[in-house]
């Protein structure tokens, strides 16, 4: 099934205009639930009730309203929203180019991908290639779903992604604050650094799984099959202690666990390599035995006619 475009318009940078369409880049795999009546297991209907008119209201009677005082609203119609003059209404206006490292991840909100119209492939891929070559991202604005969004256009592989960004007044954490001064020993810092170094590895998202979702899907399958749900006791190691942990001891234990895991993996790799080498060696020996056996048989066959000839002369 072909993906449905969420937005259509143009990307502009300088005097270059590129007609494009925008699609969602992610898809939630979360298990969703409906509200049901516990007695009859029927899905609950959410109905719109007006307390002033004391009756249910249909969708065609509903409009948006902004509460300017408690219980008082100014109505906002669809026509009002469409009449707002926005230059970014059907345009992604690229205003600057920056390094992606300059944007703190807290600003990133949602990701989409962009594809060009059929007749705009050359300027589109020129823009994409330029972003990749310069290792920069485009910063701009565009309007989607009645809100003007700050956005970041970036080249990822062969795709052009657009990430909506939060505005500064939407960020609740102080990004300029400094780390509080806490008394830490040189040994604690060294051990923490060693722990980070030992755990450092390339990011491979395929190595991670949503264990809760898997367990939830298993639970649903079991309930559908009529299998009684078993309550598992929490493992002792997972219980959270109320005592304040000894930082140095925690670091030592962490290092021992990591070193033990790496040692175990190394031994497994060595055993696997040794097994492979042994198998290869056995294969060589078998081949050598077959070759010797074949050589001996050939010698016997060559010697047999000579014996017959000598026997014939003696006769």
């Amino acid at each position: 099934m072909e993906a449905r475009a969420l937005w259509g318009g143009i990307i502009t940078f300088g005097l270059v205009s590129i007609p494009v369409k925008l699609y969602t880049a992610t898809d939630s795999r979360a298990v969703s639930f409906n509200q049901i009546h516990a007695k009859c297991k029927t899905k609950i209907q959410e109905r719109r009730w007006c307390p002033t008119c004391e009756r249910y209201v249909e969708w065609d009677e509903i409009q948006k309203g902004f509460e300017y005082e408690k219980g008082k609203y100014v109505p906002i119609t669809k026509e009002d929203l469409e009449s707002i003059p926005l230059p970014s209404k059907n345009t992604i206006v690229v205003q600057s180019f920056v390094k992606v490292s300059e944007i703190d991840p807290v600003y990133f909100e949602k990701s989409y991908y962009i594809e060009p119209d059929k007749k705009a492939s050359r300027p589109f891929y020129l823009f994409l290639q330029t972003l990749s070559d310069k290792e920069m991202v485009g910063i701009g604005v565009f309007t989607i779903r009645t809100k003007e969004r700050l956005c970041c256009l970036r080249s990822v592989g062969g795709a052009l992604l657009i990430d909506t960004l939060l505005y500064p007044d939407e960020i609740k954490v102080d990004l300029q604050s400094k780390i509080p001064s806490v008394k830490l020993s040189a040994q604690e810092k060294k051990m923490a650094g060693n722990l980070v170094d030992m755990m450092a590895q390339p990011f491979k998202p395929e190595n991670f799984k949503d264990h809760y979702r898997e367990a939830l899907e298993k639970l649903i399958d079991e309930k559908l099959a009529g299998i009684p749900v078993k309550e598992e006791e929490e493992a002792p190691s997972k219980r959270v202690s109320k005592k304040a942990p000894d930082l140095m001891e925690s670091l030592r234990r962490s290092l021992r666990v990591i070193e033990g895991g790496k040692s175990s993996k190394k031994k497994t790799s060595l055993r696997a390599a040794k097994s492979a080498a042994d198998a290869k060696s056995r294969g060589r020996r078998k081949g050598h035995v077959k070759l010797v056996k074949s050589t001996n048989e050939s010698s016997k066959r060559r010697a047999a006619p000579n014996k017959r000839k000598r026997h014939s002369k003696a006769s």
Side-chain angles (χ1 to χ4, degrees), residues 265-281:
K265 286 182 181 178
K266 189 174 180 180
K267 286 178 182 177
T268 303
S269 299
L270 288 172
R271 282 198 297 268
K274 188 175 182 302
S275 298
D278 289 345
K280 194 172 182 180
S281 178

Side-chain angles (χ1 to χ4, degrees), residues 38-53:
K39 182 179 179 181
C40 62
K41 309 298 184 278
T42 303
K43 182 180 176 181
I44 298 298
Q45 292 183 351
E46 293 188 9
R47 307 188 72 176
R48 296 155 297 281
W49 175 261
C50 176
T52 301
C53 299

